Structures are given as C-alpha cells and as structure tokens.
Amino acid sequence: MSTPTERLTEAWKRPPGFVGWMSATNHRAVGVRYIATSLVFFVLAGILALLMRIQLAQPGLDIVPAEAFNQFFTMHGAVMMFLFAIPFLEGLGIYFVPLMIGARDMAFPRLNAFGYWIYAIGGTILFLAFFSGRGPDAGWFNYPPLSGAGYSPSATDVSMTGLGEFQVGRGIDFYLIAVTMLEVAALVAAVELIVTMFKFRAPGMSLNRMPLFCWSSLVTAFMIIIAMPALMTVSVMLELDRKFGTTFFDHAAGGSALLWQHLFWFFGHPDVYIMLLPAFGAVSTVIAVAAARPMSGYLLVAMATVAIGILSFGLWVHHMYAVGIALMGLSFFAAASMMITIPSGITIFAWIATIWRGTLKINTAFLFCAGTIVVFVLGGITGVMVASPVFDWQVHDTYFVVAHFHYVIIGGVILPIFAGLYHWVPKITGKLLSESLGRWCFWLTFIGANVTFFPMHQLGFDGMPRRVYTYLPEQGLGDLNFIATIGAFMMGTGALVFFVDAARMFWKGKPAGLDPWDGGTLEWAIPSPPPDYNFATIPVVRSRYPLWQQESIEPAVDRVPEGWRSFSDSLNGERTTYQTTLLEAKPEGRAFLPAPTLLPFWMAVAVTVIFAAFLPLVGFDTELILIPVGLILLYICAIIWNWPEEPFARSEVTDRESPGSLPHITTGRFSTVWWGMIWLIVIEAVVLGCLTFAYFYLRISVPSWPADDAVLPGWPPEGIPDPPLMLPAIAGGLMLLSVLPIWWGVRSVSQGNRSMLFYSLLGGIALAIGSLIVSAIHYTDRPFIWTENAYTSIVTTRGGFHVLHVAALILIAVPMALLSWRGYYDEKRFIGVQALSMYWYFVVAAWVVYFVTVYITPNMF
Amino acid sequence: MSTRQSIDQQTPVSQFTIWVGLLGAAGAWALHLVYSYSLVPAACTAGMGPLMYLGIPVFLLLAGGAGYLSWRVYEASQGPDGEPSDDELEAMKRLRFMALSGVVMSAFFFMVIIAQSVPIIVQDPCEAAGSIRI
C-alpha cells in the first residue's frame, strides 16, 4: 500500500522522454526554461555588445561595418530588454512565487507553458532573422518614419560586408512580429502571476505577510498588463502601415510619427520599472537573509513598489523632450520624473537600514546587492539630471544618456539578477555555486561596469552621439572609448566566470541542503530541488518570515484550517492546491490543476503560423494564406484544450468533495477562471484605450497636416462625408440586444435550467451573426479605402477590431452551445459560459466606445 | 459605538473604503496629469489657463480625501476595548496595514500633484520648445 507522499509523487510526476519534456507544465519546469533560455539570449546580446565595443575602441576602425553596427545595437537593446531581462525575471517569479506563497503550481499551468513556447519561438525567429542578415536596424524603439515602409522597405538591397550579408530594412518586420509574440508571452505570465498570488497563497498569508519579492512580482505583473498592450497595439499599427499601406505614421497622409513615440514610451518607460521592480524584490530578499533579520520598513518598501509602479506610467514624455512639445507639458513629466526618486530612495534606505541593524553575513549574493546600491544610485543621480528638459536637450542622444541608462539597468537589473542567481540557484539545482568564483564574478562585473560606463558620461559631454559606428581621430574620443572597451571585456569575463562556475556546480558542486543561507521564506522549507508537488503538506503562515518567526509551518493543533490534512494526499491521483481569499488568505476551496500536455506547444505553433504571414519570406501575397491556416489550427487547439473529458461525469465536481475537504470552486468570483478573464478583459481594454487615444491624437493633429499634400484638412478630411449612423447603429443595436440571451442563459444554468442555456447561446450567436452581416454591408458601402489617409486608416482599424471580436465571440460560443446541447453545463459547472458572458459584455461595451468615438463625435464637433 | 463594533459593522463598507483610500490619490494624480497636459495648447491659444488653476485644488482635494479615508480606517483599526481575540488581532493588523499604506500612498501622490502644479503657476503655457503640440 502506497504512502501519501508516494501518491503525491505519482500524481505530480512529469512524463518521461522527449515528449514528456515538451509537455511539461509544472511551474518549476517552465520557470527554469525561461531562466535558461533568457541566459542564452543574454550571452548572445553580450557578445554583440563586445563586438560593438571592439569597433569603437579606436577611431576610424572598420571591423563592424555601418549596416552591421545598426543591427548590432538594435538587437543588443531589444534582446536585453525583451528576450533577457523581462523573461528572466518572469521566469524567476514563475519558479519562486508559488514556492514563496506555499502553492503547488500556478493557476493556469498549461497557459504558463504556452507563454514559454511563444517566447522561445519569438526569440528564435528574431535571431534567425539576424543570423541571416535580416536583423532589425532602426534601434530598439524602432521610430517611424525610419522604421516605416518608406525608409525600411520589406524587400530592399542586399549589402555585402566583411561580416556577411546584411539586408537593410527587412528586419523591421521580424522585429515587430517577434516583439508582439514576446508581449503575448509576457502578458500570459503576468496574468498567471496575478491570479496565482491572488488565489493560491497559503492559508494565513494575508497581503501584509506576502514576501517582498512577491509584492514586486505582483506590481510588475499589473504593470505588464497595462503597459504591454500599448506596444502590441502600436506594433500592429506599424505592421499595417508596412504591409497593407495604412498611414498611421505617415505625416504626408495625415499620420503622426509622434503617435508611435507616445504609445511606445507609454509602454517603454514603465518597461524600465517592469525590469527594476522584481530585481528590487530579489535584492530585498537577499539583503534580509544576509542581514539575518526581517526587512526594515516592510510597509514602506511594499508601498514604494506600488507607488513606483503607478507613477512610472506618468513619465513617458521625458523620453520625448526633444520632439517639440510645449515646455509646460514637458515640465509635468519632469516633475513626476523627479518625484519617482522618493519611493526609489525609500527602498534603498530600507536596504541600508536592514544591513545596518542586522548581523551581516557577506556572501556573493550580498556583494551583488551592495554593488546594486552603488551603481543604481549613480544611475539615479544622472536620472534626476536628465529629468530636467533643459539639461536633457544638451545631452540628448549622446553617450551621456548611454551611460545613464546602463548605470540604471546594470545597477537595477543585472547586478540584482546575479544576486538572485547566487541566492536561489542552490534551491533550483540542489547544489551550491562557488563562493570564491562568485567573488571573482562580482568584482569583474562591478569594476568592469564602472570602467565601461563612467567614461561615457564624459564622452557624452564631449559630444559623441549614440549609435555611431565610428568617429574621427581629431575628435579626441579615442582614449575614453578604449578604456570603455577594456571595461566591457572585464564585464564579459565576469559573466564568463559565472557560467564556468555554473558548469562546475553541475559537475562537482556541494549539496545545498534545505536552506544553505538560513532564509526565512517558505521556499527554504522544502528540499533542494523541490519535489514536483512542492509542499507535501500545505503550510500555514502566521508571519512575514515563517521560518524565522514561527516554531512550525504547520497550524497550531486547535487552529487547523478546514480540509488542511486532505491536501497531504492524492487519493485519486488528482493535482490539488489551496484556494484562499484575496486579502486575508482564508481557505475557501481547492483547485484542481491539469496534467501535462503537448497542447501548449501546438497552440504556440498555431500562433506562430499566423504571425509568420507578416514575415518577409517569399512574398506577402503568398504568405497571407498562413493566416487562415494558423487560425484553423489555433481554433482546433483551443477546442481540444477546453473540451472536457467524456462522458461528462458529475463526479468531476461533486465526488471530489469528500468529508472534511474544501469545495471545488468552479464558478463565480472565487474561481481562478473568473480572475483570469478579468485580466484578459483589462488587457483588451488597454488595447481599446490605445486605439481610442490614437483616433483622437490623429484628429487633433489635423492642424499640423501639410497644406499642399494629398490629404485635405478636416475630420473626416474634405471629400469624405461624415460617417453615416444608420447601419452602424443597427449592427451595434443587434450586439446590444445579444446581451440579453447571454445574460439569461447564464442566469438560467446557474439556477439549474440547463436547456435554456442552449437556446440562449443560439440566440446570442444569431444576433451576433446578424450584427456581422450588417457591419459587412456598411463597410463595403463606404466611399473610401482604408489606406487613403490617417482618418480612413484609424476608422477602418477600429471597425476591424470590433468585427474580429464579434467573430471571436461566435467562434467561442459555437462549441459551448454544442457542449450545452450535450448537457455538460449545470448549476455547479458553468464557469466556461460565465467567462464567455463576461467577454461578451466587454465586446459590446467596446462597441459602444467605438460607435461614440467614430460615428458620434465627428457629427458633434 | 465601540471600535469593535465599528470594525465589524463597517466591514462591507471598509472593503470599498480601504481600496479607495489606497489607490484614490494615485487616481487623482493620473487625472490631474491628463487634465493639465491636454489643456496646455488650449491654455495658450484659447485662454483656458484658469481651468488649469482650477484643477489644482480639485485634484489635491481628491488626493487628500483618499488620505482622509485611509486615516479613518486607521483609527478604526486601533483595536477593540478590552482583550482582543487572536482573530481580532489578526484582522486589526491587516486593516492597519492597508490603512497605513493608504495614508502613505495618499501623502506621496498629494506631493506629486503639488510638484506637477508648480509649472502651471510659474510657467507660461505658450513657452514652447518648438511648437504647441502634445
């Protein structure tokens, strides 16, 4: 007879073999993949940096030609941001957040694996393009008009250089598609992290007891959800400009290059903090352990994290000081940029206070934290300087800015990442890294970073612009550039030492044991590496550092939470973890998690097929066929993903509720699916907000349209009639009407009336199809084509956004109607249709915004 | 009414109060930024500068109001009369954490609104780097 632990092991084990490896969905497997893959990209981007430094070591060198240099600095920035820093820190969160909050896995394990595959494929596409000479070359922020079809056409001349073949311009398509895929992956991970931290915290871990790394991961996840859809939206708009000829960013046709800058930096500046905050969380964790005491000012640090996360959305224009915005407008952002130093300073002073009051154990991880304080503060000081518009104008696009942001990123991201690696790798691998090699790694990296980037401040003052591939001897820039190159190689050697150390660790590293650092958070309560089920018994938390402040992480005898003991077993081979309330983390139910599957991989392949249509491969006309092929594949995968096992046994819900256990929550605000849908809707709402902003931004740009060009002023431009109201109102009215049967169907099934749901879904689908038909008549009847000017482009894109969503509703509702007809849904099991109804309401609300924006406002003013 | 009663009775209200207190000032700041920034061209060309001045006390009041709500929650979290039970102590700690967080956040975003109001007071909206555009 097997023991409970053996049954847990059997229930949670990963399938063997290559297919088993591919189908893994466990959060630790996915987290390690994110970390390992991002480190590969880190090495590649680091090699590019070294090649650029070789080219710049002396004036007039021609080792890296101009075309290659453009691709190198673009890839270096994009890869370090999108393929290394964010995925690494998300991977760290995916691995450690469930361990720190006492959960067995994340809320949506299959979605988690899907996110990884999308990330890996997107990154691979970008590097395949680069290695074939088609890398992006317009800088990581990819400004139009340089990145538009006019200056970077999809098919262009091939430039043969000493380093091989470089094709100017084609890489922009690869960049836009890869970035969009990476954004999808980041958004998936963000939703995962939020729902997991909301619902899977161990009993007793109320928000005021959550580890600071989790706080920072939570805030970061929210920031990703608000920021990243902006980049996705604007990337799609630029790709539409490039592939279909729309004119969002074409000034001659009423577009605005500044629109790109606004939307890009609305993402881009929070993106800096998306990288910084989880790294700060890692530093807060490591410093507390090194000082052997709880973090000083826990509340202030947690709130500083939240404040930074919110305020970072009000700084984006400080990247646009030189574009000609009115000075008062700039000053608002200058003020916010300076104020963000307050919460940043609070965090740093809390670190210093913790070190001051603790009993310090100096190890490699702590050294990296100490380096963080020094380097990040230096970067912060120059940050305050460039926050002033008048100072920024003097150094804009010079090496001073390069020095500033490298100090911020190396101090605020790279050094904390190394701290996190030296702190947590023993938990991941079960073996210790070398302390002596670790100190070599630290000093080489720390000294190398300062030797590389400190001289760049002066290079900027001397007038050396960013992104030049060479300079003249008489400019007097050679000596400092040479010093910077030496520093870069010191940093490179530091990174190399880490990888040598990591290889040595796998070969002959000492066993780490449970808790090599005497840590206080829950991840150190379980073996290294942890078993697949993480915790044999779900812990109960009564403090911020349970291993320091509690005698045991089991509950007191007289205060055992409901069903607690039933989680120490897996009688029917099920994978379960606690579901708890949002604020207090009181047990409210048990979540059943799915088994490993290859579906996430195939889903990622289907999405890749769709995106591949936009890559400059054999010709866009031919590639377009990939869109329907990918959509069909995606649809099939989605149906298989969501189709329940037949026969639809009632035991799925009820028989698992053995006496003494908690209920299996399948519906309502207590379910993880409900929360997941909420965040999906928020993401979509941000996309809608960005499109609405684009519409009004383009409209207020009308006075600056060129007077003698093809497009005539006015909104709609002269020659285009005001938008008609009749047909759009009918289409929208049908959608508004469709809310009723959907609402009624969900209400009926929740009250046990199963047949009514089927007819309600049919009614909703019929009304949605009717709305689509009326929309089609309206769109084919319009007196313009969408590529005519900025007005026609934005109006048609807004309409397309709406039509695609209605079509998606129909496609989702059809299999649900089939399931309903076969009797799957009942009063205990209707979260699927409940989620559909939430999405349905959002789509209808989005239509109202669309109708008011596009059809009402031009008729009003 | 004892404090114990106030905690228990206000629980449904407190959830709303707690979150408004925590995030209300940040929301006021965001609105102030969008409001002021979008009014700059009109302040220069259409003499709508007074509207920008009007926004300063309005949004400061909103931020201050959020802070006040959090302070009220904090006062309510001081604990019941007599010896509280373990559960009550836990609930008070949680409430105090959220309330103090709201006070800190409100104070910070109150200051940010003041900082962002300085340009409205000391600068001319027509003082442009290049042209009046946003």
Side-chain angles (χ1 to χ4, degrees):
Chain A
M1 188 168 184
S2 58
T3 64
T5 306
E6 286 169 346
R7 286 193 290 273
L8 276 174
T9 306
E10 181 64 22
W12 286 86
K13 76 175 181 189
R14 305 182 201 185
F18 178 70
V19 173
W21 184 85
M22 294 281 288
S23 60
T25 54
N26 177 285
H27 78 98
R28 289 189 302 105
V30 175
V32 163
R33 286 174 195 184
Y34 264 110
I35 291 169
T37 311
S38 64
L39 285 174
V40 171
F41 290 132
F42 171 65
V43 170
L44 292 172
I47 290 169
L48 290 179
L50 292 180
L51 288 170
M52 285 189 288
R53 283 315 318 167
I54 291 172
Q55 165 64 20
L56 292 171
Q58 288 293 293
L61 293 180
D62 197 19
I63 299 164
V64 180
E67 296 86 349
F69 196 88
N70 290 347
Q71 295 195 13
F72 281 18
F73 70 67
T74 303
M75 284 293 287
H76 172 73
V79 172
M80 284 296 190
M81 290 271 188
F82 297 121
L83 291 176
F84 166 59
I86 298 173
F88 180 94
L89 292 162
E90 284 192 326
L92 207 61
I94 286 168
Y95 192 101
F96 281 103
V97 161
L99 298 183
M100 288 179 139
I101 63 173
R104 287 197 171 131
D105 206 332
M106 300 193 80
F108 310 112
R110 294 182 297 183
L111 201 59
N112 210 13
F114 166 74
Y116 169 74
W117 289 119
I118 282 284
Y119 155 66
I121 294 172
T124 305
I125 286 174
L126 192 60
F127 265 101
L128 284 178
F130 175 69
F131 287 135
S132 62
R134 299 174 180 183
D137 53 3
W140 86 275
F141 40 72
N142 204 41
Y143 280 169
L146 177 60
S147 58
Y151 293 95
S152 299
S154 291
T156 186
D157 296 337
V158 174
S159 165
M160 287 301 295
T161 72
L163 283 180
E165 176 186 304
F166 286 91
Q167 303 184 10
V168 180
R170 303 185 77 168
I172 304 298
D173 296 308
F174 285 101
Y175 173 89
L176 292 171
I177 295 309
V179 160
T180 305
M181 293 177 74
L182 300 170
E183 304 289 307
V184 170
L187 287 166
V188 162
V191 171
E192 281 282 347
L193 284 165
I194 292 175
V195 179
T196 302
M197 278 184 269
F198 271 16
K199 300 309 294 178
F200 281 7
R201 299 200 308 277
M205 187 180 277
S206 46
L207 280 183
N208 56 321
R209 287 173 179 159
M210 201 164 67
L212 284 169
F213 178 73
C214 297
W215 264 105
S216 58
S217 294
L218 182 64
V219 174
T220 304
F222 279 120
M223 292 172 69
I224 287 173
I225 278 181
I226 305 295
M228 296 232 173
L231 180 58
M232 280 178 68
T233 308
V234 80
S235 295
V236 170
M237 288 164 71
L238 182 55
E239 193 59 21
L240 290 176
D241 268 17
R242 292 175 59 79
K243 290 289 189 186
F244 291 98
T246 55
T247 63
F248 294 113
F249 309 110
D250 179 3
H251 189 63
S256 168
L258 280 191
L259 174 61
W260 169 277
Q261 295 198 24
H262 274 297
L263 287 174
F264 181 87
W265 287 117
F266 181 76
F267 145 81
H269 195 78
D271 186 48
V272 175
Y273 293 94
I274 285 169
M275 294 185 289
L276 288 177
L277 289 182
F280 281 7
V283 171
S284 297
T285 307
V286 173
I287 282 181
V289 173
R293 73 176 309 279
M295 184 76 182
S296 296
Y298 171 96
L299 181 145
L300 287 174
V301 174
M303 284 310 110
T305 306
V306 177
I308 290 172
I310 295 171
L311 195 60
S312 69
F313 284 94
L315 312 184
W316 82 91
V317 171
H318 78 205
H319 296 272
M320 300 165 61
Y321 281 164
V323 304
I325 292 172
L327 191 57
M328 183 185 279
L330 299 185
S331 300
F332 297 142
F333 290 88
S337 303
M338 292 178 188
M339 293 300 284
I340 205 164
T341 56
I342 293 175
S344 307
I346 286 172
T347 306
I348 290 165
F349 279 112
W351 292 341
I352 293 170
T354 308
I355 295 167
W356 193 278
R357 298 168 65 188
T359 312
L360 199 59
K361 293 174 288 187
I362 297 179
N363 56 17
T364 304
F366 173 77
L367 283 176
F368 277 106
C369 293
T372 293
I373 295 174
V374 174
V375 177
F376 181 73
V377 166
L378 286 169
I381 289 170
T382 52
V384 176
M385 293 162 76
V386 292
S388 163
V390 287
F391 183 86
D392 182 80
W393 291 333
Q394 304 304 314
V395 296
H396 194 85
D397 271 346
T398 70
Y399 259 75
F400 186 91
V401 177
V402 178
H404 156 67
F405 70 70
H406 276 95
Y407 261 88
V408 170
I409 299 296
I410 288 173
V413 182
I414 302 295
L415 296 180
I417 279 177
F418 275 111
L421 281 169
Y422 274 92
H423 184 71
W424 277 312
V425 159
K427 177 55 63 182
I428 297 173
T429 64
K431 293 183 177 180
L432 291 168
L433 288 158
S434 159
E435 274 296 307
S436 54
L437 284 175
R439 284 165 199 248
W440 274 101
C441 172
F442 168 71
W443 286 112
L444 283 166
T445 309
F446 178 75
I447 296 171
N450 284 286
V451 172
T452 308
F453 296 109
F454 199 81
M456 289 186 188
H457 294 105
Q458 185 59 42
L459 284 171
F461 286 141
D462 290 345
M464 181 169 173
R466 297 170 72 174
R467 298 172 167 176
V468 289
Y469 85 108
T470 191
Y471 49 91
L472 299 171
E474 51 270 32
Q475 287 179 283
L477 306 171
D479 292 344
L480 289 176
N481 268 302
F482 187 69
I483 292 169
T485 300
I486 290 172
F489 274 87
M490 284 179 76
M491 284 183 72
T493 310
L496 183 64
V497 169
F498 168 77
F499 288 106
V500 169
D501 192 7
R504 186 209 59 83
M505 172 194 67
F506 284 113
W507 177 38
K508 56 176 186 180
K510 291 178 187 169
L514 276 184
D515 187 0
W517 319 119
D518 292 329
T521 38
L522 287 176
E523 76 270 28
W524 301 109
I526 52 177
S528 311
D532 286 332
Y533 49 82
N534 291 349
F535 296 88
T537 303
I538 302 288
V540 172
V541 175
R542 295 185 299 277
S543 58
R544 286 175 187 157
Y545 295 88
L547 304 193
W548 291 345
Q549 297 168 333
Q550 291 177 212
E551 286 183 11
S552 164
I553 55 172
E554 295 195 5
V557 177
D558 57 337
R559 299 177 64 81
V560 179
E562 188 189 355
W564 182 73
R565 298 206 185 283
S566 68
F567 283 88
S568 308
D569 205 337
S570 178
L571 287 172
N572 302 312
E574 72 275 17
R575 297 172 167 221
T576 64
T577 195
Y578 256 115
Q579 260 183 238
T580 49
T581 56
L582 197 159
L583 275 179
E584 303 92 344
K586 286 182 179 167
E588 64 176 7
R590 63 192 309 172
F592 289 79
L593 299 169
T597 166
L598 271 175
L599 269 175
F601 174 74
W602 289 118
M603 190 86 127
V605 169
V607 172
T608 306
V609 170
I610 298 169
F611 281 124
F614 296 91
L615 299 177
L617 299 172
V618 292
F620 189 49
D621 292 343
T622 313
E623 290 152 7
L624 268 178
I625 189 68
L626 291 174
I627 295 177
V629 171
L631 283 173
I632 292 168
L633 273 176
L634 184 66
Y635 192 51
I636 292 169
C637 287
I639 289 178
I640 297 172
W641 183 304
N642 289 292
W643 199 267
E645 285 182 25
E646 296 194 53
F648 308 136
R650 301 261 74 77
S651 62
E652 189 182 316
V653 177
T654 51
D655 288 357
R656 285 172 171 174
E657 295 172 12
S658 54
S661 75
L662 288 163
H664 175 205
I665 295 173
T666 53
T667 58
R669 282 195 297 151
F670 298 122
S671 72
T672 51
V673 175
W674 187 90
W675 278 108
M677 181 52 71
I678 287 288
W679 300 119
L680 172 67
I681 288 172
V682 171
I683 290 168
E684 292 258 32
V686 177
V687 172
L688 178 71
C690 290
L691 287 173
T692 307
F693 169 79
Y695 177 91
F696 286 111
Y697 190 85
L698 290 170
R699 180 173 182 175
I700 62 169
S701 300
V702 169
S704 66
W705 283 5
D708 54 349
D709 232 311
V711 56
L712 295 169
W715 194 267
E718 287 176 29
I720 297 177
D722 281 348
L725 292 174
M726 181 64 79
L727 285 177
I730 294 172
L734 289 172
M735 280 312 292
L736 276 174
L737 210 57
S738 70
V739 166
L740 284 176
I742 296 299
W743 171 79
W744 185 251
V746 174
R747 185 173 182 273
S748 301
V749 74
S750 69
Q751 294 173 347
N753 186 346
R754 290 155 67 178
S755 59
M756 182 54 75
L757 174 66
F758 174 67
Y759 295 113
S760 300
L761 284 172
L762 285 189
I765 291 169
L767 288 166
I769 290 173
S771 171
L772 274 187
I773 292 170
V774 176
S775 295
I777 294 168
H778 165 58
Y779 291 134
T780 50
D781 196 34
R782 291 189 308 184
F784 57 79
I785 55 171
W786 72 324
T787 55
E788 226 167 275
N789 53 52
Y791 170 81
T792 59
S793 297
I794 188 67
V795 164
T796 311
T797 304
R798 289 294 311 271
F801 177 82
H802 176 64
V803 165
L804 282 176
H805 278 74
V806 175
L809 284 183
I810 296 167
L811 288 173
I812 297 168
V814 166
M816 287 191 176
L818 188 60
L819 275 174
S820 171
W821 177 58
R822 300 187 62 186
Y824 175 69
Y825 299 109
D826 60 27
E827 69 275 17
K828 281 198 164 186
R829 188 171 51 188
F830 64 95
I831 184 62
V833 283
Q834 190 180 32
L836 171 70
S837 71
M838 294 161 73
Y839 196 56
W840 202 291
Y841 305 151
F842 164 75
V843 171
V844 173
W847 175 86
V848 173
V849 175
Y850 160 65
F851 184 74
V852 171
T853 306
V854 171
Y855 293 96
I856 301 291
T857 59
N859 287 295
M860 286 172 63
F861 53 89
Chain B
M1 185 172 67
S2 73
T3 316
R4 184 191 297 248
Q5 282 173 325
S6 71
I7 291 174
D8 292 341
Q9 288 175 1
Q10 289 181 5
T11 300
V13 180
S14 292
Q15 288 287 327
F16 177 77
T17 312
I18 288 168
W19 288 107
V20 171
L22 186 67
L23 300 172
W29 157 75
L31 288 174
H32 178 247
L33 177 62
V34 172
Y35 174 83
S36 306
Y37 185 61
S38 54
L39 270 180
V40 173
C44 174
T45 57
M48 293 173 78
L51 275 181
M52 297 178 86
Y53 281 96
L54 188 66
I56 298 172
V58 169
F59 292 107
L60 281 176
L61 267 175
L62 286 175
Y68 175 71
L69 281 181
S70 289
W71 183 251
R72 280 194 58 196
V73 176
Y74 178 73
E75 285 183 331
S77 71
Q78 287 308 299
D81 305 327
E83 278 295 309
S85 67
D86 285 352
D87 283 343
E88 284 171 332
L89 268 177
E90 290 296 320
M92 283 187 301
K93 277 183 191 170
R94 283 196 298 269
L95 202 56
R96 204 171 302 152
F97 176 83
M98 298 301 284
L100 277 178
S101 299
V103 171
V104 169
M105 290 281 286
S106 301
F108 175 66
F109 280 103
F110 191 89
M111 285 194 297
V112 179
I113 293 174
I114 291 176
Q116 288 188 330
S117 300
V118 172
I120 296 172
I121 297 164
V122 303
Q123 282 185 331
D124 175 358
C126 296
E127 190 181 352
S131 60
I132 298 296
R133 72 160 58 126
I134 60 172

